[in-house]
Short mmCIF file of all heavy atoms in Angstrom, two decimals:
data_model
loop_
_atom_site.label_atom_id
_atom_site.label_comp_id
_atom_site.label_asym_id
_atom_site.label_seq_id
_atom_site.Cartn_x
_atom_site.Cartn_y
_atom_site.Cartn_z
N ILE A 88 -96.40 28.61 -222.58
CA ILE A 88 -97.80 28.23 -222.58
C ILE A 88 -98.48 28.76 -221.26
O ILE A 88 -99.59 29.30 -221.23
CB ILE A 88 -98.01 26.89 -222.94
CG1 ILE A 88 -97.52 26.51 -224.28
CG2 ILE A 88 -99.53 26.50 -222.82
CD1 ILE A 88 -97.38 24.96 -224.52
N LYS A 89 -97.76 28.40 -220.16
CA LYS A 89 -98.32 28.65 -218.86
C LYS A 89 -97.25 29.37 -217.94
O LYS A 89 -96.69 28.76 -217.21
CB LYS A 89 -98.72 27.36 -218.21
CG LYS A 89 -100.02 26.75 -218.77
CD LYS A 89 -100.26 25.41 -218.11
CE LYS A 89 -101.50 24.61 -218.78
NZ LYS A 89 -102.78 25.05 -218.39
N PRO A 90 -97.14 30.62 -218.20
CA PRO A 90 -96.11 31.32 -217.46
C PRO A 90 -96.20 31.37 -215.89
O PRO A 90 -95.23 31.41 -215.27
CB PRO A 90 -96.16 32.86 -217.95
CG PRO A 90 -97.20 32.82 -219.12
CD PRO A 90 -97.92 31.55 -218.99
N ALA A 91 -97.36 31.22 -215.38
CA ALA A 91 -97.59 31.22 -214.07
C ALA A 91 -97.49 29.81 -213.34
O ALA A 91 -97.54 29.80 -212.05
CB ALA A 91 -98.92 31.89 -213.63
N LEU A 92 -97.28 28.89 -214.15
CA LEU A 92 -97.27 27.47 -213.56
C LEU A 92 -95.77 27.28 -212.87
O LEU A 92 -94.78 27.35 -213.60
CB LEU A 92 -97.44 26.37 -214.63
CG LEU A 92 -97.32 25.00 -214.27
CD1 LEU A 92 -98.42 24.57 -213.27
CD2 LEU A 92 -97.45 24.15 -215.60
N PRO A 93 -95.82 26.97 -211.66
CA PRO A 93 -94.47 26.87 -210.98
C PRO A 93 -93.67 25.57 -211.52
O PRO A 93 -94.30 24.48 -211.60
CB PRO A 93 -94.76 26.70 -209.48
CG PRO A 93 -96.16 27.13 -209.34
CD PRO A 93 -96.78 26.86 -210.66
N VAL A 94 -92.43 25.76 -211.97
CA VAL A 94 -91.71 24.59 -212.27
C VAL A 94 -90.48 24.63 -211.45
O VAL A 94 -89.70 25.53 -211.26
CB VAL A 94 -91.20 24.70 -213.75
CG1 VAL A 94 -90.34 23.69 -214.20
CG2 VAL A 94 -92.49 24.86 -214.73
N ILE A 95 -90.29 23.38 -210.76
CA ILE A 95 -89.08 23.16 -209.88
C ILE A 95 -88.18 22.28 -210.65
O ILE A 95 -88.53 21.13 -210.94
CB ILE A 95 -89.62 22.71 -208.64
CG1 ILE A 95 -90.45 23.65 -207.88
CG2 ILE A 95 -88.22 22.35 -207.69
CD1 ILE A 95 -91.13 23.10 -206.64
N ALA A 96 -87.03 22.59 -210.90
CA ALA A 96 -85.93 21.80 -211.55
C ALA A 96 -85.43 20.78 -210.59
O ALA A 96 -85.21 21.09 -209.35
CB ALA A 96 -85.00 22.54 -212.13
N GLN A 97 -85.27 19.59 -211.03
CA GLN A 97 -84.44 18.54 -210.35
C GLN A 97 -83.09 18.42 -211.00
O GLN A 97 -82.90 17.89 -212.01
CB GLN A 97 -85.03 17.26 -210.24
CG GLN A 97 -86.66 17.17 -210.05
CD GLN A 97 -87.06 15.73 -210.21
OE1 GLN A 97 -86.56 14.75 -209.52
NE2 GLN A 97 -88.05 15.55 -210.99
N THR A 98 -82.02 18.91 -210.43
CA THR A 98 -80.81 18.92 -211.04
C THR A 98 -79.95 17.68 -210.64
O THR A 98 -80.15 17.31 -209.40
CB THR A 98 -79.93 20.17 -210.81
OG1 THR A 98 -79.62 20.40 -209.44
CG2 THR A 98 -80.78 21.43 -211.29
N ALA A 99 -79.10 17.13 -211.42
CA ALA A 99 -78.33 15.93 -211.18
C ALA A 99 -77.25 16.13 -210.07
O ALA A 99 -77.07 15.20 -209.25
CB ALA A 99 -77.84 15.34 -212.24
N PHE A 100 -76.65 17.29 -210.13
CA PHE A 100 -75.53 17.47 -209.22
C PHE A 100 -75.69 18.87 -208.65
O PHE A 100 -76.25 19.73 -209.10
CB PHE A 100 -74.30 17.29 -209.95
CG PHE A 100 -74.04 16.19 -210.67
CD1 PHE A 100 -74.22 16.12 -212.09
CD2 PHE A 100 -73.73 14.93 -210.09
CE1 PHE A 100 -74.10 14.90 -212.90
CE2 PHE A 100 -73.59 13.75 -210.72
CZ PHE A 100 -73.76 13.83 -212.14
N ALA A 101 -75.18 18.86 -207.42
CA ALA A 101 -75.24 20.24 -206.73
C ALA A 101 -74.12 21.10 -207.31
O ALA A 101 -73.11 21.43 -206.71
CB ALA A 101 -75.00 20.06 -205.14
N MET A 102 -74.10 21.29 -208.54
CA MET A 102 -73.08 22.13 -209.13
C MET A 102 -73.39 23.59 -209.06
O MET A 102 -74.61 23.90 -209.11
CB MET A 102 -72.99 21.84 -210.73
CG MET A 102 -72.26 20.35 -210.84
SD MET A 102 -72.50 19.67 -212.50
CE MET A 102 -71.74 20.87 -213.49
N LYS A 103 -72.48 24.38 -209.16
CA LYS A 103 -72.60 25.79 -208.81
C LYS A 103 -73.34 26.45 -209.87
O LYS A 103 -74.23 27.34 -209.59
CB LYS A 103 -71.20 26.49 -208.68
CG LYS A 103 -71.19 27.64 -207.81
CD LYS A 103 -69.74 28.26 -207.64
CE LYS A 103 -69.86 29.55 -206.82
NZ LYS A 103 -68.67 30.39 -206.96
N GLY A 104 -73.18 26.13 -211.11
CA GLY A 104 -73.97 26.79 -212.16
C GLY A 104 -75.38 26.37 -212.30
O GLY A 104 -76.08 27.07 -212.97
N GLU A 105 -75.90 25.27 -211.64
CA GLU A 105 -77.28 24.81 -211.92
C GLU A 105 -78.26 25.68 -211.48
O GLU A 105 -79.26 25.79 -212.05
CB GLU A 105 -77.40 23.42 -211.28
CG GLU A 105 -76.62 22.23 -212.05
CD GLU A 105 -76.95 22.19 -213.53
OE1 GLU A 105 -78.12 22.22 -213.87
OE2 GLU A 105 -76.03 22.01 -214.32
N LYS A 106 -78.02 26.40 -210.39
CA LYS A 106 -79.02 27.33 -209.87
C LYS A 106 -79.32 28.49 -210.84
O LYS A 106 -80.37 28.74 -211.15
CB LYS A 106 -78.57 27.87 -208.48
CG LYS A 106 -79.62 28.84 -207.83
CD LYS A 106 -78.96 29.30 -206.56
CE LYS A 106 -80.09 30.23 -205.80
NZ LYS A 106 -79.57 30.65 -204.56
N GLU A 107 -78.15 28.97 -211.49
CA GLU A 107 -78.35 30.07 -212.46
C GLU A 107 -78.94 29.49 -213.65
O GLU A 107 -79.85 30.18 -214.29
CB GLU A 107 -76.90 30.67 -212.59
CG GLU A 107 -76.94 31.88 -213.56
CD GLU A 107 -77.85 33.05 -213.01
OE1 GLU A 107 -78.12 33.05 -211.89
OE2 GLU A 107 -78.27 33.95 -213.79
N LYS A 108 -78.41 28.33 -214.06
CA LYS A 108 -79.03 27.74 -215.44
C LYS A 108 -80.45 27.47 -215.25
O LYS A 108 -81.16 27.76 -216.17
CB LYS A 108 -78.25 26.41 -215.72
CG LYS A 108 -77.07 26.43 -216.63
CD LYS A 108 -76.42 25.26 -216.71
CE LYS A 108 -76.87 24.33 -217.83
NZ LYS A 108 -76.05 23.16 -218.03
#
Side-chain angles (χ1 to χ4, degrees):
I88 298 164
K89 291 181 186 277
L92 178 63
V94 178
I95 298 168
Q97 312 174 55
T98 65
F100 305 102
M102 284 164 63
K103 211 180 173 188
E105 288 304 313
K106 185 178 181 178
E107 186 58 19
K108 262 174 99 174

